[in-house]
Amino acid sequence: MSWLSELFFGQGVAHSVLMFAIVIALGIVFGKVKVWGISLGITWILFVGIICSHFGMRVDGHTLHFMKEFGLILFVYSVGLQVGPGFFSSFRKGGLTLNMLATGIVLLGVITTYVIHVVTGLPMTTMVGILSGAVTNTPGLGAAQQAYSDMTGVNDPTIALGYAVAYPLGVIGIIGSILLMRVIFRVKFEKENEDLERQDEDRANGAQQFSVRVTNPALFGKDLMEITRLINRKFVFSRVCHEDDRIEIGSSETCLREGDKLLVVAALQDIDAITAFLGERVEVAWEQLDKQLVSRRIAITKGEVNGKMLGEMRLRNCFGVNVTRVNRAGVDLVAKPNLQLQIGDRLTVVGPEAAVTNVAKVLGNSLRRLREPNLVPIFLGIFLGILLGSIPFTFPGIPQPVKLGLAGGPLIISIFISRFGPQYGLVTYTTMSANLMLREVGIALFLASVGLGAGDGFVETIIDGGGYAWIGYGFIITVVPLIIIGIIARTIYKVNYFTLMGLMAGSMTDPPALAYSNGIVGNDAPAVSYATVYPLTMFLRVLTAQMLILFFV
């Protein structure tokens, strides 16, 4: 049975593949176990790797290093592809306040880490590992490890050990802080729901459909193009119902008469202004009137359409149809002529059935093509990300050049490529399932590599190396910033509690806390605020982890 012992405790390709398979499979299985409704999720891969490594089942150091870095690149790049389209828009209106509060949580965590470092004398490398575990941010751990390796040429195992020690209580501390906010402010879910219904911020950019009767005498006889210029708002005239119940597609030449009914699509915050200008709000059964018109969602799947402006397509003039909305990543946008189209967008097209069918041929509407992976932008982006991450930047007062590294470089490039790539004809669309697969494979490889590399000496560190104190330090780093910013958010900015839950989970990039929040509130407010602050928070976590290593080591 020597071959079996060699397979589990030896060296070689078969041993390495076997160890990664065992660690990842067992970690995912254990991650499904919940205690009091809380699970550590995929982070169990890290702990399984530590256990296996502790009992002598280790992998060659060069293989571990490659798998760790490659997994990290896949993870951060797929995250960037997902959040990139909404990254810059997240700073608008209410998103600016939430991102400012999330930045405060990040900075307070860094300050708390530095204070503990000064008071206890614990090495900054260990403290950065504890910080990454306390805020449940795996890319920050990878960025810190790489920054230290670039500076010294060696790896410091205490970074990963600090992360592993602080992580479990970090998850509990985040959820506990969310519960504490509820106790401190005596939150009642009924009142929070009522307050949430009165807020428009979360839906301000969504396209809404409503009907208006024209009663403004100044508009009688004017065509829709002239009226569009008079109203300084973003909207689309979908259909016009004249007094004789004749329905026509809203075009620039359509002239309005008294009593005409309009089906309008506009952003929620513009509805009142548009209604007041045109006339009065009415209810119209368009489904019964539209006997000759159909409304259909058509997906853009042709590469030549990618990056074009909606107005360039001339769909209304060429086919006699109207595009009322564009659905992108689950969000309805007003179909303005200057809206840039992307592969994967779904257009709501209204018109005669034959014309709508012809438009579908022009746009593609092939779901099979959407399911095909676009590998070129992925690997092109990874190439550019590694290139950017390897460029040294010199700053006065810093002895070592600063690099964005294999975490920061691909993350920045993926955000920019997913946001601006279509403008240059680059197809960046990736199905949600493909993106999730790429992300989960990447983080699984990274966590398995970290665990297998940190197991040697883990128990000794906990028992003899002050590891118990590290748990306490991590808990302080988790809870103190959340409580301070949570109080500020409620008392000064009057943030809704459901939104605050997502803010606290997103500022810690912690999916278990988000899952807990979604499970108890029954609405999507935590998920919306989580998605709003997640991109900037992820970037800041990676950046600050590197900065702490470069400045204080």
Side-chain angles (χ1 to χ4, degrees):
M1 300 293 286
S2 61
W3 65 271
L4 189 60
S5 176
E6 181 68 21
L7 192 59
F8 280 89
F9 299 95
Q11 297 292 328
V13 175
H15 166 75
S16 299
V17 174
L18 179 70
M19 290 312 305
F20 274 99
I22 290 175
V23 169
I24 293 173
L26 289 178
I28 293 174
V29 170
F30 290 149
K32 298 181 182 297
V33 178
K34 294 183 179 181
V35 179
W36 296 310
I38 302 173
S39 169
L40 296 181
I42 199 172
T43 311
W44 260 107
I45 295 174
L46 171 69
F47 299 112
V48 173
I50 290 174
I51 294 170
C52 290
S53 179
H54 174 72
F55 288 104
M57 293 182 284
R58 302 189 180 98
V59 176
D60 174 70
H62 295 290
T63 303
L64 279 181
H65 183 71
F66 168 76
M67 296 299 283
K68 181 179 70 174
E69 300 299 346
F70 183 62
L72 180 64
I73 290 170
L74 289 179
F75 175 70
V76 299
Y77 191 81
S78 59
V79 168
L81 284 180
Q82 180 186 11
V83 305
F87 181 80
F88 298 97
S89 62
S90 68
F91 296 102
R92 299 173 185 168
K93 299 183 180 179
L96 181 61
T97 299
L98 294 180
N99 276 285
M100 180 184 67
L101 293 169
T103 301
I105 292 175
V106 174
L107 295 180
L108 277 176
V110 172
I111 293 171
T112 306
T113 301
Y114 179 73
V115 170
I116 295 175
H117 161 69
V118 172
V119 172
T120 64
L122 206 62
M124 182 53 76
T125 50
T126 305
M127 287 305 309
V128 172
I130 295 173
L131 168 65
S132 298
V135 300
T136 68
N137 187 259
T138 307
L141 167 65
Q145 287 180 317
Q146 194 203 4
Y148 184 80
S149 178
D150 290 342
M151 286 180 58
T152 64
V154 297
N155 294 318
D156 187 343
T158 64
I159 300 178
L161 292 175
Y163 173 91
V165 167
Y167 191 100
L169 206 58
V171 175
I172 297 172
I174 297 168
I175 296 176
S177 299
I178 292 174
L179 292 174
L180 184 61
M181 289 295 104
R182 183 178 179 181
V183 173
I184 291 176
F185 293 100
R186 300 178 180 177
V187 173
K188 295 182 178 179
F189 281 7
E190 296 80 7
K191 184 178 183 302
E192 297 300 315
N193 272 317
E194 292 174 1
D195 292 341
L196 199 61
E197 291 174 358
R198 291 196 294 264
Q199 296 175 359
D200 296 333
E201 287 81 4
D202 292 335
R203 297 179 296 165
N205 292 325
Q208 305 292 319
Q209 191 171 268
F210 62 102
S211 302
V212 179
R213 178 187 289 114
V214 179
T215 60
N216 184 354
L219 303 181
F220 300 162
K222 287 186 168 56
D223 58 47
L224 293 183
M225 178 177 288
E226 186 176 357
I227 294 173
T228 301
R229 288 197 296 264
L230 292 174
I231 306 178
N232 187 25
R233 295 289 192 277
K234 292 182 179 181
F235 65 96
V236 173
F237 289 120
S238 175
R239 276 156 280 184
V240 180
C241 177
H242 297 291
E243 284 294 289
D244 55 0
D245 289 337
R246 180 172 54 89
I247 304 289
E248 67 173 297
I249 297 292
S251 66
S252 57
E253 294 81 16
T254 301
C255 290
L256 295 184
R257 297 191 293 269
E258 182 180 4
D260 283 350
K261 302 180 187 68
L262 306 176
L263 181 61
V264 186
V265 180
L268 182 66
Q269 73 273 18
D270 295 331
I271 290 179
D272 290 341
I274 295 171
T275 301
F277 183 82
L278 295 173
E280 60 183 5
R281 188 87 172 260
V282 293
E283 295 294 332
V284 179
W286 293 100
E287 295 81 5
Q288 299 177 9
L289 297 173
D290 290 347
K291 295 180 181 179
Q292 297 180 347
L293 301 177
V294 297
S295 176
R296 186 179 302 165
R297 276 198 170 183
I298 299 174
I300 297 178
T301 60
K302 284 192 174 181
E304 53 266 30
V305 181
N306 186 58
K308 285 190 175 182
M309 299 292 184
L310 180 59
E312 291 181 51
M313 301 301 298
R314 301 179 62 81
L315 298 178
R316 181 182 295 172
N317 294 335
C318 295
F319 299 97
V321 300
N322 213 358
V323 179
T324 60
R325 279 166 288 180
V326 177
N327 183 275
R328 179 173 298 163
V331 178
D332 281 333
L333 308 173
V334 177
K336 295 297 293 178
N338 60 352
L339 179 65
Q340 193 172 57
L341 302 176
Q342 298 180 13
I343 293 289
D345 285 351
R346 286 172 167 79
L347 279 60
T348 300
V349 181
V350 180
E353 186 169 2
V356 172
T357 301
N358 290 330
V359 170
K361 294 177 181 178
V362 171
L363 299 180
N365 201 36
S366 172
L367 297 181
R368 182 184 61 82
R369 293 193 62 183
L370 283 183
R371 289 193 291 265
E372 295 176 357
N374 297 302
L375 296 180
V376 172
I378 293 176
F379 285 99
L380 175 63
I382 289 175
F383 164 74
L384 295 174
I386 293 174
L387 199 64
L388 176 64
S390 301
I391 299 174
F393 298 95
T394 304
F395 295 97
I398 304 178
Q400 292 287 338
V402 177
K403 295 180 182 180
L404 292 172
L406 297 181
L411 179 63
I412 292 175
I413 290 296
S414 61
I415 289 175
F416 277 91
I417 230 174
S418 62
R419 173 61 181 85
F420 300 106
Q423 296 182 11
Y424 303 96
L426 190 63
V427 177
T428 60
Y429 175 80
T430 305
T431 62
M432 184 61 71
S433 59
N435 182 280
L436 185 61
M437 172 65 77
L438 194 67
R439 187 173 64 200
E440 293 300 304
V441 168
I443 193 63
L445 291 175
F446 175 81
L447 289 172
S449 301
V450 172
L452 288 169
D456 187 20
F458 180 79
V459 175
E460 291 80 359
T461 301
I462 296 293
I463 297 175
D464 302 323
Y468 289 119
W470 297 4
I471 298 174
Y473 301 152
F475 187 74
I476 294 172
I477 294 171
T478 300
V479 172
V480 169
L482 288 176
I483 292 177
I484 292 175
I485 298 299
I487 292 173
I488 292 174
R490 286 289 290 183
T491 55
I492 297 179
Y493 294 99
K494 311 299 181 185
V495 175
N496 181 274
Y497 178 70
F498 300 150
T499 302
L500 180 62
M501 296 170 79
L503 165 66
M504 296 172 76
S507 65
M508 296 292 188
T509 61
D510 186 55
L514 176 62
Y516 170 81
S517 301
N518 286 337
I520 65 172
V521 302
N523 59 55
D524 63 351
V528 170
S529 57
Y530 181 96
T532 300
V533 303
Y534 181 89
L536 179 63
T537 301
M538 177 64 76
F539 175 74
L540 290 177
R541 292 294 185 195
V542 171
L543 183 63
T544 53
Q546 289 179 305
M547 292 296 101
L548 285 172
I549 294 292
L550 294 171
F551 276 91
F552 301 109
V553 174

